[in-house]
Amino acid sequence: MAVGADLEPSTLIAAYSRGLFPMPLRPGGRIGWWSPPERGVLEPERLVVSRSLRQSCRRYEIRVDTAFAEVVEGCADPARPHGWIDDQMRAAYVRLHREGFAHSVEAWRGGELAGGLYGVAIGGLFAGESMFYRSRDASKVALVALADGLRDGHPRLIDVQWVTPHLCSLGASPVPRHQYLRRLPELLDSTPPTLFTPARD
């Protein structure tokens, strides 16, 4: 939709509030602002949790916002294919975390971070940015915890940007851009979930 601008917290919040999200056109390059014709979304109550995944949930401890920068680093691992989280993106979301808008949901095991996800929370919208795992099912366990925490009776939506086969198997679905944008005002005006605590990094 656009190219340029900066990644300051106020710019990011304004973008998400208008249905846009940033990705560099190339690592270290200019920022593109995206709003796909079909937006991938996940209703928290529609998350598909298999029996084996529910069993995996018992093997991990869930924490929120205790290792935000480490979660971003895990998601930005250059060994991962199609990586797009460069230095400017990492720095931008750490700043946004310190402002209280970006959050991580983490799966811990044996005192070590096993996986997690991070994204931007504004009102009832959680705009998921990325997830990673070092142990089996750890990122999916974090997603289960996120969805559970968002099922609180208020308008809530997890934005996954694009639907992949993996996310589709977990219950995500595509919606037309106009439908997503029409729903945004109600989500943004919703009471923030209690799942997220003030940033501590």
Side-chain angles (χ1 to χ4, degrees):
M1 302 296 288
V3 175
D6 55 45
L7 291 170
E8 291 300 313
S10 59
T11 304
L12 288 170
I13 295 303
Y16 284 104
S17 298
R18 291 165 175 78
L20 300 168
F21 59 86
M23 291 182 70
L25 301 181
R26 58 179 176 79
R30 299 179 72 190
I31 298 297
W33 299 91
W34 307 81
S35 180
E38 286 197 327
R39 192 65 160 250
V41 300
L42 175 60
E43 306 284 351
E45 64 276 8
R46 293 185 180 174
L47 178 67
V48 176
V49 184
S50 66
R51 180 179 298 178
S52 62
L53 178 53
R54 189 61 72 182
Q55 291 172 344
S56 291
C57 290
R58 302 189 187 103
R59 296 198 293 266
Y60 294 97
E61 174 194 356
I62 294 297
R63 303 179 191 175
V64 176
D65 285 340
T66 68
F68 182 87
E70 190 176 347
V71 170
V72 176
E73 286 296 325
C75 293
D77 184 348
R80 298 179 66 183
H82 312 298
W84 53 270
I85 305 173
D86 58 19
D87 289 344
Q88 62 178 335
M89 295 292 286
R90 287 197 294 268
Y93 285 89
V94 169
R95 287 195 300 270
L96 197 60
H97 172 64
R98 290 173 179 155
E99 294 290 330
F101 290 100
H103 301 278
S104 59
V105 182
E106 309 143 11
W108 291 76
R109 190 175 185 184
E112 295 185 355
L113 179 64
L117 59 85
Y118 77 97
V120 177
I122 310 173
L125 173 70
F126 185 85
E129 281 297 312
S130 190
M131 55 200 305
F132 85 105
Y133 67 93
R134 294 170 181 155
S135 300
R136 180 182 175 183
D137 286 343
S139 60
K140 289 188 283 188
V141 168
L143 182 60
V144 171
L146 171 65
D148 285 348
L150 295 180
R151 286 196 288 264
D152 58 5
H154 295 282
R156 302 284 184 245
L157 187 69
I158 302 171
D159 173 7
V160 299
Q161 300 178 352
W162 286 287
V163 172
T164 65
H166 171 65
L167 289 170
C168 187
S169 72
L170 293 171
S173 60
V175 298
R177 178 167 54 209
H178 69 85
Q179 183 177 324
Y180 176 83
L181 295 177
R182 189 166 59 240
R183 189 170 173 188
L184 265 184
E186 178 190 29
L187 291 167
L188 299 176
D189 288 342
S190 183
T191 302
T194 58
L195 173 66
F196 302 121
T197 56
R200 291 190 289 273
D201 279 7

